[in-house]
């Protein structure tokens, strides 16, 4: 695999960094998260109108740019650097691929061009806190996460020629403001239990939405309640296709999130390096002390290793290699979240008293690290799931440790995966 960026990919990243440098400073981020929407609509319009970011990975047939998930994930490294509060993750990474994979021709033609143009935002609503499970990031998404009966969640009932939804989803990314909701609902009762996806308009009768207080305010989320709410079935209602599409979306989302986390970790490290080069103690910059240099060197190594894994996952997401994409995204996400956690923690520590203040940006990176791990992790479960999907512990891969020579002779690709893990 050639890991070098193409000229087009480099141009996308450069243009995005320049736009975000002007339109998404620390003060801009703080102002945006305090608005009812939780993001800056003007910035979203610029990302859509000037760069076509929401439609970057959508086909040109539906008004998109026609790039792959690779370009969208690589672009996420720039949005992660500044913790840009935008509906990009919810709309372009989680909702749009599901519409493209499962939607009917009419649904695609009606919704995807509006998403690509930035005119429509969307959100994936999963009951409870099961988003990582639904996307098959931390465990098999067999459908139990959707609830059913007394287990709560969201219930779907067929009424006449349409569908009605009842229930609640408590942690929906951008769910409080999205113009379209993709709701995962349980239908069929106990005997014919299945999970389907439904389209619900943000203006639908019986839909109640409230923005939740979140640890990471740059990822706003909402609680949605569905009270006899009219909904449209997404696609043809094949439950197996729904679970497959959710797992595939999870693979590309993991690569996107990994690149975001790497960008954030790198920026937190840059802020720290800049500070220790200016802050003086005992008549010299504290960055000249060997203990500080060693700590920052350790963070740098972590960030660069995480970048390598994240870029690998980004290229795998757009390459169509299912055997590799199934496990490399979750593994890259685990490594990137770990690097972000360490980089943000060192930023707070090495900034001293300044790093603990509300006015400094360090706490925003700490919250992003903690918030992402709560939503899409934890890290040890991401790694365990990646190992499981890579087949590291299958009985067919067992080795006879009594003969070291036989072990060396049978060293294969599965063992190389184990070394990476």
């Amino acid at each position: 695999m050639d890991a070098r960026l193409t000229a087009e990919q480099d141009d996308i990243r450069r243009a995005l960094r320049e736009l975000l440098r002007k339109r998404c400073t620390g003060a801009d981020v703080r102002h945006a998260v305090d608005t009812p929407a939780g993001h800056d609509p003007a910035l979203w319009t610029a990302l859509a109108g000037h760069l076509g970011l929401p439609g970057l990975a959508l086909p040109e047939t539906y008004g998109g740019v026609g790039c792959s998930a690779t370009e969208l994930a690589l672009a996420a490294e720039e949005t992660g650097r500044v913790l840009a509060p935008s509906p990009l993750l919810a709309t372009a990474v989680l909702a749009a691929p599901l519409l493209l994979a499962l939607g009917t021709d009419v649904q695609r033609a009606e919704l995807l061009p509006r998403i690509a143009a930035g005119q429509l935002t969307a959100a994936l609503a999963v009951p409870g806190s099961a988003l990582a499970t639904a996307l098959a990031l931390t465990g098999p998404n067999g459908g139990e996460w959707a609830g059913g009966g007394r287990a709560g969640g969201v219930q779907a009932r067929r009424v006449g020629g349409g569908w009605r939804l009842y229930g609640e989803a408590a942690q929906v990314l951008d769910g409080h403001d999205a113009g379209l909701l993709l709701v995962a609902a349980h239908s069929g009762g106990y005997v014919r239990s299945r999970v389907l996806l439904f389209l619900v308009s943000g203006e639908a009768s019986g839909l109640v939405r409230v923005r939740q207080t979140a640890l990471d305010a740059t990822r706003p989320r909402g609680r949605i309640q569905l009270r006899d709410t009219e909904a449209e079935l997404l696609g043809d209602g094949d439950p197996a296709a729904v679970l497959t599409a959710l797992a595939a979306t999870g693979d590309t989302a993991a690569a996107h999130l990994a690149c975001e986390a790497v960008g954030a970790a790198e920026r937190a490290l840059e802020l720290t390096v800049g500070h220790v080069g200016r802050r003086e103690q005992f008549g010299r910059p504290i960055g000249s002390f060997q203990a500080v240099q060693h700590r920052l060197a350790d963070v740098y190594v972590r960030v660069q290793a995480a970048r390598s894994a994240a870029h690998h996952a980004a290229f795998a997401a757009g390459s169509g290699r299912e055997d590799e994409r199934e496990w490399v995204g979750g593994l890259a996400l685990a490594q990137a979240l770990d690097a972000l956690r360490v980089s943000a923690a060192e930023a707070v520590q090495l900034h001293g008293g300044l790093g603990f203040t509300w006015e400094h940006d360090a706490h925003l990176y700490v919250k992003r690290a903690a918030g992402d791990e709560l939503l899409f992790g934890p890290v040890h479960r991401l790694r365990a799931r990646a190992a499981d999907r890579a087949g590291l512990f299958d009985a067919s891969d067992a080795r006879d440790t009594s003969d070291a020579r036989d072990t060396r002779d049978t060293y294969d690709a599965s063992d190389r995966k184990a070394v990476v893990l």
Side-chain angles (χ1 to χ4, degrees):
M1 181 189 73
D2 187 356
R4 292 174 297 182
L5 300 183
T6 66
E8 184 180 28
Q9 291 167 348
D10 199 41
D11 288 342
I12 292 171
R13 294 184 61 187
R14 188 184 304 110
L16 182 56
R17 178 174 291 197
E18 182 64 21
L19 175 64
L20 293 175
R21 185 182 65 82
K22 297 177 181 177
R23 304 287 296 271
C24 201
T25 64
D28 293 329
V29 171
R30 286 179 169 81
H31 175 73
V33 299
D34 287 337
T35 62
H39 67 271
D40 182 4
L43 175 62
W44 179 244
T45 300
L47 292 175
H50 297 168
L51 301 178
L53 206 58
L56 194 61
L58 290 176
E60 296 180 23
T61 309
Y62 300 113
V65 179
C67 294
S68 68
T70 299
E71 283 72 24
L72 185 58
L74 292 174
E77 194 170 330
E78 300 304 320
T79 61
R81 280 178 59 88
V82 295
L83 305 179
S86 78
L88 182 66
L89 174 61
T91 300
V93 181
L94 298 179
L98 292 171
L99 287 169
L100 185 62
L102 299 174
T104 64
D105 292 339
V106 174
Q107 290 169 338
R108 293 172 185 169
E110 179 184 354
L111 299 172
L112 290 178
R114 295 169 60 197
I115 287 177
Q119 300 169 354
L120 177 67
T121 58
L124 174 63
V126 173
S129 57
L131 180 59
T133 304
L135 297 174
L137 293 176
T138 57
N141 64 342
E144 299 83 359
W145 47 268
R150 295 183 178 179
V154 179
Q155 311 298 315
R157 188 177 68 178
R158 197 170 186 87
V159 178
W163 292 85
R164 296 280 179 170
L165 302 184
Y166 307 79
E168 178 181 279
Q171 299 182 32
V172 182
L173 286 172
D174 290 297
H176 64 292
D177 188 62
L180 176 70
L181 296 174
L182 275 68
V183 182
H186 183 275
S187 67
Y190 181 79
V191 178
R192 299 179 63 248
S193 174
R194 54 182 178 163
V195 177
L196 301 175
L197 285 175
F198 296 88
L199 302 176
V200 176
S201 169
E203 304 298 326
S205 176
L207 174 63
V208 179
R209 303 191 285 179
V210 179
R211 182 177 175 182
Q212 298 284 82
T213 300
L215 172 65
D216 179 13
T218 64
R219 289 211 196 280
R221 65 196 73 172
R223 177 190 297 273
I224 68 168
Q225 293 179 338
L226 302 144
R227 303 171 180 176
D228 193 25
T229 304
E230 184 178 358
E232 178 185 352
L233 181 65
L234 178 63
D236 59 6
D238 180 3
V242 168
L243 297 179
T244 300
L246 283 168
T249 300
D251 295 334
T252 55
H256 181 98
L257 289 163
C259 288
E260 264 195 0
V262 165
E266 182 182 49
R267 180 56 182 159
L269 177 60
E270 288 177 0
L271 291 173
T272 310
V273 171
H275 176 74
V276 300
R278 296 186 300 269
R279 177 74 167 89
E280 291 190 0
Q281 188 75 349
F282 306 112
R284 55 191 287 196
I286 61 175
S288 65
F289 295 112
Q290 192 176 58
V292 174
Q293 293 175 353
H294 284 180
R295 291 174 68 171
L296 292 177
D298 288 342
V299 176
Y300 177 80
V301 170
R302 282 178 179 268
V303 172
Q304 293 306 313
R307 169 176 282 109
S308 178
H311 284 193
H312 187 181
F315 283 106
S319 67
R321 294 179 57 182
E322 300 293 335
D323 57 332
E324 187 175 72
R325 190 176 68 177
E326 285 184 352
W327 60 272
V328 73
L331 182 59
L333 178 56
Q335 191 164 357
L337 289 179
D338 187 61
L340 175 55
R341 175 184 56 80
V342 173
S343 181
E346 291 290 3
V348 171
Q349 290 292 322
L350 293 178
H351 274 84
L354 177 64
F356 287 86
T357 63
W358 187 255
E359 292 75 17
H360 198 271
D361 289 344
H363 72 94
L364 297 176
Y365 291 91
V366 172
K367 291 175 180 177
R368 170 59 66 90
D372 273 8
E373 189 165 357
L374 287 171
L375 272 175
F376 305 104
V379 165
H380 70 273
R381 290 189 63 188
L382 287 168
R383 288 194 172 116
R385 176 60 175 164
D388 183 52
R389 297 181 78 181
L392 292 182
F393 306 115
D394 290 348
S396 59
D397 288 335
R399 301 288 182 258
D400 183 3
T401 57
S402 62
D403 190 336
R405 178 177 298 177
D406 289 345
T407 301
R408 289 195 299 270
D409 291 342
T410 55
Y411 183 83
D412 60 6
S414 295
D415 297 300
R416 288 195 293 274
K417 293 175 187 175
V419 171
V420 174
L421 288 166

